[in-house]
Amino acid sequence: MNVHGAAIIKRSGLSKTARNRKHCDRNLAQRVCGLATESVNSTVRLADAIPLPTNEDLPLQDHRGKGLANKHSERNFFLDVLSSTSGKREAKAYLSRFKPPSPHAKNGLVSEQSRIKTTEKIHHSGVNLGGLFLPARAIDESPFFGQDTVPRTFVDISSEPLHVALVGIKSPHLIDDQILHGIGLTLSQLAKLGLNCIVVVDAQHEQAQKLSSEQPLLWRTSVIEQADRIVSAIDCQGGRGARLLDSVIGVSPTKDEHTPSVKVRGDVRVLHRNLLLTPLRRGVVPVVVSVGYTSLDQKVVAVSAADVMLALTRELAGIAQCSTPDDKPEQLLQRIWTAQRGVSLDRIIILDQLGGVPSTSSMRESHVFINLEQEYEAICDDLLRLKDSHKTKTQYEVAHRASTLSTSRTSNPLFKIEEGEIVPAPMQALTHRQSTIDLLVDNHLNSLQLVRDALAILPTSSSALLTTPQEAANSIGHSSLSKMPGVSTRPFRNPLIHNLLTDKPIFSSSLPRARLLPSTNSTQNLSTPATFIKRGMPLTFLPDPRIETWKPPTALSLPLQLSDPRIDLARLVHLIEDSFGRKLDVKRYMTRISQNLAGIIIAGSYEGAAILTWEASPNLPPSLLPGTPAYAARMVPYLDKFAVLKRSQGAGGVADIVFSAMVRDCFPKGVVWRSRRDNPVNKWYFERAKGTWKIPVKEQGTQGWTMFWTKEGIDGEEFDDYAAVCRSVETSWADGKKLLD
């Protein structure tokens, strides 16, 4: 008998027979409870007796079966989760977004509601009916014994949105089974953390495109074979497994006369919404192939994976709801609202052998974070310039080698081979190299375009992640052993799991590039090929450094003022006061920086800002007159205020966006600032500064400052100017307290 099924309810006024029966039933219940307790204790002792696997237990495919392997994987999975949550703020944000539905006791809730309704009816009738229509007390309080378990708490799953990630796997034929197994493990771990995945198989390589146009049925068979490999890799992880969907995509040409900037429509669409959502709600991973069927004759056609992912994005975002002439506006609005409330598409994940979007400095390094609102056009232009520069270099090398070959032919009488009979091997290599670079750049541009189009129709909280299959397969369950016996090493954090828990990239985008490179004595490579992308927020530069370089003020220049009509002073003051938690003396502050304001950076709708000034060092000799070039050369670029709204601190990367723009676009040659020694933000500053120095307290009374700078290799004179400025800058708070900024 289940102990939960033996419910004893207290009863008053029992007869002697009832008391005897109660005594017997109580003994029976005690025996049941004793057996259950002993069973639980035995289970605990048994669990304690099973040791966790050690290095000697590996490999785990021993006679004890999959139990130890699962225990080892589960333990390391939770270790990975704990190591990925870097702080209380990230954990709180994750739990607030992926909170489980609150359980309600269905029977207790119904009975209580019915009791309240009955009481209200009696009360509103105006007649004192006593307990005539109330449940009999003797029946209600009588003990009840049942063999069945008490009904479990009722959870309304439909009340909570279904969190979904759209995962595109490019060129699965180039991924071996071991990597696919690791990807399947990662997807199953994401499901445990509340993020359900839809996998899109992208098999559009050069040979597949040729085969799809000539023999579409044979091409469909080859694509399904690759999809079956992915399904098998997910099924072997346990759980609900995966399900192949090869008839969910339809193709019907649209009649749009112009192409909108936001692709809310397209030729490719989802035929059956329930084929996607039903397995998702059951914990099954749908695997969609890039195969479509025409709406007129149901022919098999090849569809690009980008169009399939956009069609799925539109469907999951709720904007693909078809309307008919008979639909009323409120009915259509209700249908769209219901579709949007039931599903939340949180991530767009692309697994590509090329990894993330390469930076302009080197094709071997990727952007850590991309703010689409600010950086999309610039990154696309840089990739196109990179492509053109390689093309120009290739053309020059081909022409140079052709002229060398022509000279050798005319000078050598034995070299009498007609034109066109041979093709020099070096020229073939150059041409092949150029075509390879073109393919690489085009692939990155297409991925970036897909992410931009998808995020444009999703909420601002959604994001995208571009990484390699090897990084995605870097699950904790695949811990590798070092070559030394008895020593094991855990792999680096999985970018997919880390991004889900923190909504951030593994490494901050504002960190110096040198911090992401391996040291000379280290064998670990801290760089990552993953690129985290968000729609982000626009940045406002005053003045714009792309048009006007930030320079020290001269006698002929007019410095920027906070009273400039382009600046919303009230919102800026609110931002500063909210970030610092103190009232600002606005008049005093504007007077102090009126003649030396270098510029201001504003993030979004005043969610963050940086106010930078040019400060004159007290160490300047009297012979240097203000406004002269020599005087301007000694002025110090100073970060006067760095503020982020409290509701945006630690979320959305506002601080990283503003700081990166400051050191990259505004002051690439370095900037200096100060912070109180006990400021909790100092850890963040230490990671991004090239140098720090704690100013001795005896030189400034009771205040203790830490100075930070971003310039590489400052000399003695610059250091003295930096320290003098950090000592001399006055605070401008309205409370008048001698507290630190």
Side-chain angles (χ1 to χ4, degrees), residues 662-714:
M662 177 186 69
V663 299
R664 182 187 64 232
D665 301 326
C666 301
F667 283 139
K669 296 183 179 180
V671 64
V672 65
W673 69 96
R674 70 182 184 184
S675 174
R676 66 178 186 269
R677 290 188 180 182
D678 58 346
N679 190 343
V681 190
N682 282 352
K683 179 180 181 296
W684 195 85
Y685 288 151
F686 276 116
E687 294 173 346
R688 284 149 184 82
K690 295 292 182 64
T692 64
W693 184 58
K694 292 183 179 180
I695 302 177
V697 177
K698 62 181 181 180
E699 297 184 13
Q700 52 188 39
T702 59
Q703 295 183 347
W705 297 107
T706 298
M707 182 176 68
F708 302 88
W709 64 88
T710 61
K711 185 176 181 180
E712 191 77 37
I714 61 174

Side-chain angles (χ1 to χ4, degrees), residues 369-376 534-537 539 657:
F369 172 74
I370 295 178
N371 176 18
L372 287 177
E373 287 285 351
Q374 180 67 23
E375 302 178 87
Y376 175 76
K534 299 199 75 169
R535 191 197 304 180
M537 60 191 67
L539 288 180
I657 291 174

Side-chain angles (χ1 to χ4, degrees), residues 603-730:
S605 299
Y606 288 83
E607 298 179 52
I611 301 177
L612 299 110
T613 59
W614 292 103
E615 301 292 341
S617 172
N619 297 336
L620 294 180
S623 59
L624 292 180
L625 300 178
T628 60
Y631 187 88
R634 290 286 300 273
M635 297 194 75
V636 175
Y638 181 72
L639 174 60
D640 189 85
K641 290 288 185 292
F642 188 82
V644 178
L645 288 176
K646 288 185 178 179
R647 61 179 174 84
S648 300
Q649 292 177 2
V654 179
D656 287 328
I657 291 174
V658 176
F659 192 89
S660 298
M662 177 186 69
V663 299
R664 182 187 64 232
D665 301 326
C666 301
F667 283 139
K669 296 183 179 180
V671 64
V672 65
W673 69 96
R674 70 182 184 184
S675 174
R676 66 178 186 269
R677 290 188 180 182
D678 58 346
N679 190 343
V681 190
N682 282 352
K683 179 180 181 296
W684 195 85
Y685 288 151
F686 276 116
E687 294 173 346
R688 284 149 184 82
K690 295 292 182 64
T692 64
W693 184 58
K694 292 183 179 180
I695 302 177
V697 177
K698 62 181 181 180
E699 297 184 13
Q700 52 188 39
T702 59
Q703 295 183 347
W705 297 107
T706 298
M707 182 176 68
F708 302 88
W709 64 88
T710 61
K711 185 176 181 180
E712 191 77 37
I714 61 174
D715 55 26
E717 186 179 64
E718 288 178 314
F719 180 85
D720 293 339
D721 290 343
Y722 285 1
V725 167
C726 290
R727 295 190 193 101
S728 61
V729 171
E730 297 181 358

Side-chain angles (χ1 to χ4, degrees), residues 152-172:
R152 295 181 179 179
T153 57
F154 173 73
V155 177
D156 186 9
I157 301 178
S158 60
S159 63
E160 293 293 331
L162 185 67
H163 296 277
V164 180
L166 204 55
V167 182
I169 301 180
K170 289 189 174 183
S171 303

Side-chain angles (χ1 to χ4, degrees), residues 492-560:
F492 295 111
R493 289 173 290 182
N494 188 302
L496 276 65
I497 296 177
H498 176 85
N499 177 252
L500 171 63
L501 296 173
T502 63
D503 197 27
K504 296 178 181 179
I506 291 183
F507 303 110
S508 174
S509 59
S510 59
L511 285 175
R513 178 63 62 177
R515 300 285 173 87
L516 303 180
L517 298 178
S519 60
T520 56
N521 297 328
S522 176
T523 59
Q524 296 180 349
N525 185 6
L526 298 181
S527 61
T528 174
T531 299
F532 181 54
I533 304 176
K534 299 199 75 169
R535 191 197 304 180
M537 60 191 67
L539 288 180
T540 302
F541 296 90
L542 295 175
D544 192 341
R546 295 168 297 183
I547 302 175
E548 180 183 357
T549 306
W550 289 15
K551 297 180 180 180
T554 61
L556 301 178
S557 62
L558 296 177
L560 179 69

Side-chain angles (χ1 to χ4, degrees), residues 271-344:
L271 295 177
H272 307 288
R273 178 183 177 90
N274 289 333
L275 285 180
L276 289 172
L277 298 185
T278 301
L280 276 177
R281 294 196 181 279
R282 294 176 179 175
V284 180
V285 178
V287 178
V288 182
V289 295
S290 303
V291 177
Y293 297 87
T294 58
S295 58
L296 297 178
D297 49 9
Q298 293 297 307
K299 286 186 178 180
V300 177
V301 293
V303 183
S304 68
D307 292 337
V308 173
M309 295 188 72
L310 282 178
L312 291 171
T313 302
R314 288 190 291 265
E315 184 66 39
L316 297 175
I319 64 175
Q321 299 295 319
C322 299
S323 60
T324 62
D326 298 333
D327 286 341
K328 295 182 179 180
E330 56 271 14
Q331 294 177 348
L332 180 61
L333 182 62
Q334 178 67 24
R335 192 160 66 244
I336 294 176
W337 181 78
T338 303
Q340 293 178 342
R341 184 186 61 176
V343 181
S344 174

Side-chain angles (χ1 to χ4, degrees), residues 370-409:
I370 295 178
N371 176 18
L372 287 177
E373 287 285 351
Q374 180 67 23
E375 302 178 87
Y376 175 76
E377 298 294 341
I379 292 177
C380 289
D381 293 341
D382 291 339
L383 289 176
L384 291 175
R385 280 196 296 267
L386 181 64
K387 180 178 178 180
D388 294 338
S389 64
H390 279 276
K391 182 180 296 184
T392 303
K393 182 179 179 180
T394 301
Q395 291 175 351
Y396 170 78
E397 292 182 1
V398 168
H400 176 70
R401 294 189 181 185
S403 62
T404 304
L405 179 61
S406 177
T407 303
S408 63
R409 286 180 177 180

Side-chain angles (χ1 to χ4, degrees), residues 39-105:
S39 176
V40 170
N41 293 334
S42 300
T43 305
V44 173
R45 289 194 299 270
L46 180 62
D48 294 337
I50 300 177
L52 290 177
T54 59
N55 298 333
E56 290 76 14
D57 296 325
L58 297 174
L60 295 173
Q61 292 78 7
D62 57 1
H63 62 278
R64 285 172 287 185
K66 296 183 179 180
L68 283 179
N70 293 334
K71 183 181 291 291
H72 178 80
S73 178
E74 291 292 332
R75 183 191 67 174
N76 285 333
F77 168 64
F78 287 112
L79 287 176
D80 190 35
V81 169
L82 293 174
S83 63
S84 295
T85 51
S86 57
K88 186 186 300 183
R89 182 180 295 157
E90 287 80 5
K92 184 178 180 181
Y94 164 75
L95 293 176
S96 64
R97 182 163 181 79
F98 292 89
K99 59 182 178 182
S102 57
H104 303 286

